[in-house]
């Protein structure tokens, strides 16, 4: 009889539970394929799981001899990390980063982004979340002359370095108010006394007070001016000058003229002092003047009834009035007339003309210059442009004609070309109309108005032929 076994299915076929392949034997001692073993019909190897197999979940082993059920806990107990690949055990903790908030309601966790307000400071501009400081330039040049910050950014003022010619127009600071330099001006536009020689301030102005014989700066005699030897003091109220002796102010002069016409002291002039003893106080308008060298008012002399040039006279000399013309009604008697002299114009106008190759005429009476147009005689040739002309002995064109210079056509092979140039003295040029390469062929000058063109082979493209006359 056959021995009954429990079977299970492996990757290589059915196997007997608890036995190896070598244990699968028949009663006769032979071997048979596992699939040929008999069973009672109630055994399906696919319905069996080996009881020696176990399943391990989270470190806990479960055998497969019975049905098993598993419940996943709500808490995540193991989490695989990110790029670093590390494993982190325990519950997951959510940590919000910048501009992010985490809200939880029951089992719902919400990540909420928060807005951030950016404010641009003085001179800054904001684009998105990026701050910038706009910089603009003002003026031209390669030197920064100043930087100004405004609400709109920074403005850089540009200028140019002064050239040698520019610097020549300026005075170095070391030369201002210095020896061998230039003097400066104070707030009143005056040169300070420290930059003037001592003698410039030798004259001082103020007010002399006779009661105490001292000088003061003000008319109210408030600020005293100390006396110095070698200086002159002028009293502004009397124009009197004084000098300091070392102990007192001494009056020098009152400002009177020292000498007038040899007279010194305070001088009162009269007419005898200056040689005018014979002069009275009578006005010229009431005097009787016996004689004068000329008139005080210039007069004009003119002649009436005749044509003459007026003359001015002031009595200082004789004048002559030129007479230009006298009317015939004023002439009486007889007189000889010189007819060989000049005249203003001809009594009868004359006509001057020219004929021949050109015509010209004008009328002339001698009173003025005249002009007239000169017209050339026509030779019979129509106005235009000619290749050939005929000229007479005087250089005038008496005939003209136009002769054809060239003839152009297109051919596709050997052909005869009638050009009508009237000459065998011609040039023939040919080129391919597609490739534009020059083409050569046999040219026969058949007669004065025709040529024959021959080619050794068929032409791939049309050829342009130009025949040009050479004896023009």
């Amino acid at each position: 009889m056959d021995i009954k076994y429990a079977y299970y299915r492996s990757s290589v076929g059915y196997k007997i539970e608890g036995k190896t392949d070598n244990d699968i034997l028949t009663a006769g001692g032979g071997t048979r394929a596992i699939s040929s073993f008999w069973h009672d019909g109630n055994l399906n190897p696919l319905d069996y799981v080996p009881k020696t197999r176990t399943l391990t979940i989270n470190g806990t082993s479960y055998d497969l001899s019975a049905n098993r059920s598993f419940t996943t806990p709500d808490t995540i107990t193991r989490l695989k990390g990110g790029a670093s690949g590390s494993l982190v055990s325990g519950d997951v903790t959510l940590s919000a980063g910048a501009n992010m908030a985490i809200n939880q309601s029951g089992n719902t966790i919400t990540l909420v982004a928060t807005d951030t307000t950016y404010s641009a400071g003085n001179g800054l501009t904001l684009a998105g979340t990026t701050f910038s400081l706009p910089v603009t330039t003002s003026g031209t040049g390669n030197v920064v002359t100043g930087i100004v910050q405004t609400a709109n950014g920074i403005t850089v003022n540009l200028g140019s370095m002064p050239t040698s010619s520019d610097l020549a127009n300026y005075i170095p600071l070391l030369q201002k108010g210095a020896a061998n330099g230039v003097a400066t001006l104070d707030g009143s536009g005056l040169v300070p006394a420290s930059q003037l020689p001592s003698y410039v301030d030798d004259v001082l102005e103020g007010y002399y007070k006779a009661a105490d014989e001292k000088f003061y700066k003000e008319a109210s005699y408030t600020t005293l001016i100390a006396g110095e030897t070698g200086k002159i003091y002028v009293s502004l109220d009397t124009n009197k000058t004084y000098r300091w002796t070392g102990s007192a102010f001494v009056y020098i002069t009152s400002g009177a003229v020292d000498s007038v016409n040899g007279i010194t002291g305070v001088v009162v002039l009269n007419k005898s002092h200056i040689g005018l003893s014979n002069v009275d106080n009578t006005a010229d308008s009431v005097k009787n003047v016996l004689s004068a060298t000329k008139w005080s008012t210039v007069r004009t002399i003119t002649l009436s009834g005749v044509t003459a040039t007026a003359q001015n006279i002031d009595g200082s000399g004789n004048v002559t009035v030129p007479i230009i013309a006298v009317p015939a009604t004023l002439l009486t008697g007889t007189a000889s007339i010189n007819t060989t002299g000049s005249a203003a114009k001809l009594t009868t106008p004359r006509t001057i003309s020219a004929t021949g190759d050109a015509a010209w005429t004008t009328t002339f009476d001698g009173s003025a210059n005249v002009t007239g147009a000169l017209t050339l005689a026509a030779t019979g040739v129509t106005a235009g442009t000619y290749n050939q002309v005929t000229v007479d002995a005087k250089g005038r064109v008496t005939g003209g004609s136009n002769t054809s210079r060239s003839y152009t056509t297109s051919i596709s092979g050997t052909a005869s070309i009638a050009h009508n140039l009237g000459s065998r003295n011609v040039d023939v040029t040919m080129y391919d109309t597609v490739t534009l390469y020059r083409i050569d062929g046999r040219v026969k000058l058949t007669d004065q108005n025709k040529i024959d063109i021959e080619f050794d082979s068929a032409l791939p493209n049309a050829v342009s032929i130009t025949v040009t006359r050479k004896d023009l």
Side-chain angles (χ1 to χ4, degrees):
M1 56 180 281
D2 290 333
I3 300 174
K4 295 183 179 181
Y5 293 96
Y7 296 89
Y8 69 92
R9 187 174 184 176
S10 69
S11 61
V12 295
Y14 290 95
K15 292 189 176 183
I16 300 174
E17 175 67 21
K19 301 292 182 177
T20 65
D21 291 344
N22 295 329
D23 292 332
I24 302 176
L25 300 174
T26 61
T31 61
R32 293 174 57 185
I34 292 178
S35 58
S36 65
F37 277 95
W38 175 90
H39 57 85
D40 59 3
N42 297 321
L43 173 66
N44 185 356
L46 296 178
D47 295 334
Y48 291 85
V49 175
K51 64 180 180 179
T52 59
R53 296 291 187 262
T54 59
L55 176 65
T56 302
I57 299 177
N58 291 336
T60 302
S61 298
Y62 302 90
D63 63 59
L64 302 179
S65 61
N67 295 330
R68 301 291 183 180
S69 63
F70 304 95
T71 301
T72 302
D74 293 337
T75 302
I76 298 176
T77 59
R78 187 168 294 275
L79 178 68
K80 185 177 182 180
S84 63
S86 62
L87 299 178
V88 179
S89 298
D91 293 339
V92 175
T93 300
L94 297 180
S95 178
N99 302 326
M100 184 67 70
I102 300 177
N103 299 325
Q104 182 172 355
S105 176
N107 294 328
T108 301
I109 298 176
T110 305
L111 301 180
V112 181
T114 60
D115 294 333
T116 301
T117 301
Y118 298 91
S119 299
N122 185 32
L124 294 176
T125 60
L126 176 63
T129 59
T130 302
F131 291 91
S132 62
L133 183 63
V135 178
T136 59
T137 60
S138 176
T140 58
N142 54 9
V143 178
V144 176
T145 60
I147 299 177
V148 179
Q149 183 172 357
T150 65
N152 297 323
I154 289 180
T155 299
V156 179
N157 298 318
L158 301 179
S160 300
M161 290 290 292
T163 63
S164 299
S165 59
D166 294 332
L167 295 176
N169 297 322
Y170 294 89
I171 300 172
L173 293 176
L174 296 177
Q175 295 183 10
K176 293 184 177 181
N180 296 323
V182 295
T184 60
L185 300 177
D186 58 17
S188 301
L190 303 176
V191 178
S194 60
Q195 299 180 28
L196 297 173
S198 60
Y199 58 80
V200 175
D201 284 342
D202 282 352
V203 178
L204 301 179
E205 294 179 335
Y207 296 89
Y208 180 73
K209 185 177 180 182
D212 58 7
E213 298 182 347
K214 294 181 179 179
F215 257 90
Y216 296 87
K217 291 183 178 180
E218 304 88 7
S220 59
Y221 309 122
T222 302
T223 305
L224 183 67
I225 298 177
E228 296 182 51
T229 302
K231 294 185 180 296
I232 302 299
Y233 298 84
V234 179
S235 183
L236 296 176
D237 53 352
T238 62
N239 288 328
K240 293 183 179 180
T241 58
Y242 300 81
R243 67 178 181 85
W244 176 251
T245 64
S247 59
F249 289 99
V250 177
Y251 168 67
I252 299 175
T253 176
S254 62
V257 178
D258 290 338
S259 174
V260 177
N261 198 26
I263 303 173
T264 60
V266 179
V267 179
V268 179
L269 290 177
N270 56 46
K271 61 184 180 181
S272 63
H273 290 152
I274 55 177
L276 298 176
S277 57
N278 296 325
V279 177
D280 56 23
N281 292 326
T282 305
D284 290 341
S285 60
V286 297
K287 293 180 180 179
N288 293 322
V289 181
L290 297 179
S291 63
T293 57
K294 66 177 182 178
W295 302 334
S296 59
T297 303
V298 178
R299 303 299 181 184
T300 301
I301 298 177
T302 60
L303 299 178
S304 62
V306 297
T307 303
T309 302
Q311 299 293 314
N312 295 330
I313 183 172
D314 62 2
S316 61
N318 298 325
V319 297
T320 299
V321 180
I323 298 176
I324 299 175
V326 178
T329 56
L330 298 180
L331 299 177
T332 59
T334 60
S336 60
I337 300 176
N338 184 0
T339 60
T340 62
S342 60
K345 66 179 181 178
L346 300 174
T347 302
T348 302
R350 302 301 180 184
T351 298
I352 303 175
S353 301
T355 60
D357 293 334
W360 171 78
T361 182
T362 187
T363 301
F364 178 73
D365 64 1
S367 60
N369 297 328
V370 295
T371 59
L374 179 66
T375 302
L376 293 176
T379 63
V381 180
T382 304
T385 303
Y386 300 94
N387 299 131
Q388 295 178 339
V389 295
T390 302
V391 182
D392 64 9
K394 297 180 179 180
R396 299 182 305 165
V397 176
T398 59
S401 62
N402 287 318
T403 303
S404 298
R405 295 180 56 87
S406 65
Y407 176 78
T408 300
T409 187
S410 179
I411 62 176
S412 58
T414 299
S416 294
I417 299 174
H419 52 72
N420 297 322
L421 297 180
S423 174
R424 282 191 173 92
N425 189 16
V426 295
D427 279 332
V428 179
T429 57
M430 297 179 288
Y431 68 89
D432 190 298
T433 58
V434 176
T435 64
L436 301 182
Y437 283 114
R438 182 165 177 168
I439 303 298
D440 290 326
R442 290 188 295 276
V443 179
K444 178 181 180 181
L445 303 177
T446 305
D447 57 37
Q448 293 182 342
N449 294 310
K450 187 177 72 172
I451 62 174
D452 292 331
I453 305 295
E454 295 179 354
F455 299 99
D456 292 334
S457 60
L459 299 177
N461 304 306
V463 174
S464 175
I465 308 294
T466 298
V467 183
T468 304
R469 183 172 177 178
K470 295 167 54 177
D471 55 1
L472 290 178

